[in-house]
Amino acid sequence: MKSRDTLKMAAAKAALSFVPDRQYIGIGSGSTVDIFIQELAKSGKPVAGCVPASDSTRDGLLKAGLKIVDLGTGYPLGFYFDGADEINSEGVMIKGGGGALTREKIIAASSETFICMVDESKVVDSLGHFPLAVEVIAMATKHVSAEIKKMGGQPTERQNFETDNGNIILDIEGLDLTKASKVESDINNIAGIVSNGLFSFCRCSQAIIGTEGGVDFKVFQKN
Ligand code: 5RP
């Protein structure tokens, strides 16, 4: 049986074929993205510059010798490359396991095409086994927690963690995510929320899935 890292590597390598020459691209965050960065650097593809979704991705890109640009320079981006914690059959994702969800969503929203690279363990029939990360301004923690509980969720503050934006993360379990767009909007309407890790409005355009049997490509309808 292949390891998850091997499957992530297969997905990341396959994603290289989508990297356009001499254009700015967006780059997400996480271990799959870290592999993608290494492979991109090795490939020698002529990328004009990368917009990173986290401080850690920025550091990784610089170390790999790739050029960084801010979103103002690159906007709008043709392609955004990122991983996910869960992805369903419509390309709706849960993201934010690494806490970079806000910048990830900003860059995804600023990009024409979102390429999601995952190992097959991330593909789910129904979203929500992985806790939903919500970035919250610290003073709103009690209020946001109370509102989330009214929605049926159980929030837990991520310990010893501060986002790149200086905020906290609540990880939510128990929400019914069947109507993902409604839940995404409802959570965003709570005062004190910065963003949440449901990506239904910014669903991916294409998933590249590393599986035991090879790499699968899935194309999704734009919403
Ligand atoms: C970080 C993310 C990542 O894309 C997600 O957590 C997947 O990470 P990995 O590639 O390490 O499995 O949303 O905020």
Side-chain angles (χ1 to χ4, degrees):
M1 192 169 155
K2 291 178 184 161
S3 71
R4 284 178 66 177
D5 278 352
T6 303
L7 301 182
K8 287 178 183 186
M9 168 74 84
K13 277 188 168 169
L16 288 179
S17 63
F18 291 86
V19 175
D21 284 352
R22 286 171 275 278
Q23 286 182 29
Y24 298 119
I25 57 173
I27 312 251
S29 199
S31 58
T32 315
V33 160
D34 289 343
I35 297 169
F36 176 74
I37 291 170
Q38 295 308 319
E39 293 303 315
L40 180 58
K42 267 198 247 164
S43 75
K45 275 187 164 269
V47 177
C50 305
V51 180
S54 68
D55 292 353
S56 132
T57 295
R58 180 202 57 211
D59 294 347
L61 286 165
L62 288 174
K63 216 167 149 191
L66 293 158
K67 188 178 167 199
I68 304 290
V69 290
D70 62 26
L71 188 52
T73 305
Y75 187 89
L77 296 165
F79 284 85
Y80 176 58
F81 297 87
D82 200 355
D85 299 305
E86 287 184 348
I87 178 166
N88 73 9
S89 59
E90 295 174 324
V92 178
M93 296 161 288
I94 285 186
K95 291 184 44 55
L101 57 149
T102 299
R103 295 190 194 178
E104 289 172 347
K105 202 176 268 190
I106 292 168
I107 304 176
S110 305
S111 304
E112 280 292 312
T113 301
F114 182 153
I115 304 287
C116 180
M117 308 166 290
V118 287
D119 67 87
E120 63 187 340
S121 72
K122 309 288 186 66
V123 180
V124 295
D125 290 331
S126 54
L127 296 168
H129 298 287
F130 195 93
L132 176 63
V134 176
E135 182 166 356
V136 177
I137 292 172
M139 72 169 285
T141 305
K142 284 220 159 144
H143 173 65
V144 172
S145 297
E147 293 298 310
I148 293 283
K149 283 181 189 165
K150 282 187 208 164
M151 293 172 69
Q154 279 307 317
T156 306
E157 185 170 340
R158 202 175 288 185
Q159 294 302 298
N160 305 315
F161 188 84
E162 187 181 284
T163 69
D164 289 343
N165 311 308
N167 300 309
I168 66 139
I169 294 283
L170 294 178
D171 287 305
I172 317 292
E173 291 182 282
L175 283 177
D176 177 357
L177 302 181
T178 318
K179 294 182 178 157
S181 297
K182 176 161 170 39
V183 177
E184 186 176 350
S185 300
D186 287 351
I187 295 177
N188 283 343
N189 278 337
I190 301 171
I193 290 281
V194 180
S195 71
N196 72 77
L198 259 178
F199 280 55
S200 70
F201 296 105
C202 289
R203 71 186 62 187
C204 67
S205 321
Q206 178 148 177
I208 303 181
I209 306 163
T211 78
E212 277 297 320
V215 177
D216 278 355
F217 295 83
K218 282 201 162 35
V219 178
F220 301 104
Q221 299 271 340
K222 278 214 169 209
N223 54 335

